Amino acid sequence: MGLPEPAASAPDGKKAAAPARDVPPPRPANPWESAGAALRKQQTTAPDATPAPAAPPPAAAPWVPQDERSGAAFARRFGRGLVWFVLILAAITGVRAWFIPPKAEAPEVKAPKAAPAYPSAEAQAIAARFARAYLTWDETVKEEREALLASVLPDGADTGMGWDGQGQQAVVAVEPGAVTPGPHRQARVRVDVLVRPAAPPAPKKKPAPPAPAPRWIGLDVPVVSTAGGVVVTGRPGLVGIPATGPDAPDLPTTKTDPELSSSTESTVETFFEAYAEGTDAVTAPGAAIPPLAAGIQFRGLVAWSADAGSGADRTGTARVSWSLGGATLETVYRVTLTRVTSEDAQRWQVAEVRGGTL
């Protein structure tokens, strides 16, 4: 079977030597085999260097680590800054303002620009001059009326203004009134004029008739305001004069002080007597009350009543009778008294006087 023959045992139990075989001749040396034999010998002769058991791998983290980029770092820092900004803003404005915001203020409504005020005073002055010239005429001197009207009319306007050139009339007084503005800087000015017509010519061999009494005539004068001033724009209209004024409201009555009225009546009477004569009798120190015009004579104190009150300054109402132009005229005054104290006595003196009941 191609197996080696068993060796015969020696009688003493020792193995018998194997029969000698023919040794084949040595083969030429192979460099690869020599290198392999040297490596096996080196491994068998080297000390047992059993490698230590490797450490178990670390437990896997629950997240996957990633390289941090510059964008992520910026976003994180920005988020932190935003949180701090919100906290600081809440501390300043209050958390309540977040849930109950303040009421929004109503938008400011700009008032429309008002048109420049109408020059009422200038319009009244121009209308008064026009009214005086318009209602004054004399057939013997027509040029005077035309020249007066030309000064308040536009250049080239009709200075006759509808007059036929006949008759005579004079103006005694002119009272400008209300100014009613209209569109395009126009206005209507009310003017009341007191005129006195001339007496009609007397018939032959008969006494001259009496001159007509003065009468009031109303005018509505149209004017316009221009860059150069106010000018009359055309002919006016004649309007009526009310027969009576409007109703006055009920004014409150003043309570009187009978005791003070009685004790100061002589003081007030002495003052008005000196008032007509131009002296300053019973006038309080420092008071400046100009005297009345010449020709006015004091007739007497008709009534005097001091108002109820207290203090060193008191006011009352006096009704005084004067003689003027051959007639007797009663007037009303408000008189202010002040109490003047000296070393030995005290007395009331007049500090102010003004006409009317106010």
Side-chain angles (χ1 to χ4, degrees):
M1 296 180 63
L3 298 175
E5 295 291 337
S9 299
D12 55 0
K14 294 181 180 181
K15 292 181 178 182
R21 294 184 177 183
D22 294 336
V23 178
R27 294 179 297 178
N30 188 345
W32 293 105
E33 291 180 358
S34 300
L39 179 60
R40 286 191 297 271
K41 183 179 180 180
Q42 182 179 1
Q43 290 178 349
T44 56
T45 58
D48 188 10
T50 304
W63 60 84
V64 178
Q66 297 181 353
D67 293 338
E68 186 176 31
R69 299 179 180 178
S70 60
F74 172 78
R76 184 176 66 256
R77 288 194 293 269
F78 177 78
R80 291 176 182 174
L82 182 62
V83 171
W84 278 108
F85 173 76
V86 173
L87 293 177
I88 295 174
L89 182 64
I92 296 176
T93 62
V95 179
R96 181 176 180 273
W98 294 10
F99 301 97
I100 307 177
K103 295 182 179 180
E105 296 183 359
E108 182 180 358
V109 179
K110 294 184 178 180
K113 293 183 178 180
Y118 200 85
S120 298
E122 184 179 0
Q124 288 176 324
I126 294 297
R129 287 173 52 191
F130 171 83
R132 179 179 291 276
Y134 180 77
L135 292 178
T136 300
W137 52 69
D138 188 345
E139 59 186 8
T140 62
V141 283
K142 299 178 182 179
E143 299 79 7
E144 292 183 1
R145 181 177 184 272
E146 293 178 356
L148 292 174
L149 288 174
S151 65
V152 291
L153 292 173
D155 186 22
D158 176 22
T159 55
M161 300 299 289
W163 178 48
D164 65 354
Q166 303 296 318
Q168 292 180 341
Q169 180 171 270
V171 171
V172 179
V174 178
E175 296 295 337
V179 178
T180 305
H184 310 297
R185 303 295 289 170
Q186 300 178 87
R188 183 179 69 254
V189 184
R190 173 61 183 265
V191 183
D192 293 337
V193 185
L194 183 63
V195 300
R196 183 189 298 274
K204 293 180 178 181
K205 300 181 181 180
K206 289 185 179 181
R215 60 180 181 271
W216 286 100
I217 296 178
L219 288 179
D220 276 347
V221 181
V223 298
V224 64
S225 176
T226 66
V230 177
V231 65
V232 177
T233 59
R235 298 179 184 179
L238 296 174
V239 294
I241 301 292
T244 62
D247 295 335
D250 294 333
L251 300 176
T253 57
T254 303
K255 295 182 178 180
T256 61
D257 185 340
E259 183 179 354
L260 182 62
S261 300
S262 177
S263 62
T264 57
E265 183 176 359
S266 61
T267 300
V268 174
E269 185 174 12
T270 303
F271 165 77
F272 279 106
E273 185 176 2
Y275 192 32
E277 296 176 355
T279 62
D280 56 356
V282 299
T283 301
I289 302 176
L292 293 177
I296 301 176
Q297 297 179 354
F298 176 70
R299 295 295 300 271
L301 180 65
V302 179
W304 161 250
S305 61
D307 299 346
S310 60
D313 294 326
R314 304 290 292 275
T315 303
T317 302
R319 195 164 80 245
V320 183
S321 176
W322 304 100
S323 177
L324 177 64
T328 300
L329 190 66
E330 287 188 4
T331 57
V332 176
Y333 297 90
R334 291 287 286 172
V335 180
T336 300
L337 302 176
T338 185
R339 186 166 49 201
V340 179
T341 303
S342 60
E343 296 180 357
D344 53 350
Q346 61 180 9
R347 61 189 181 276
W348 292 95
Q349 293 185 323
V350 176
E352 182 184 9
V353 61
R354 58 186 182 274
T357 57
L358 181 60

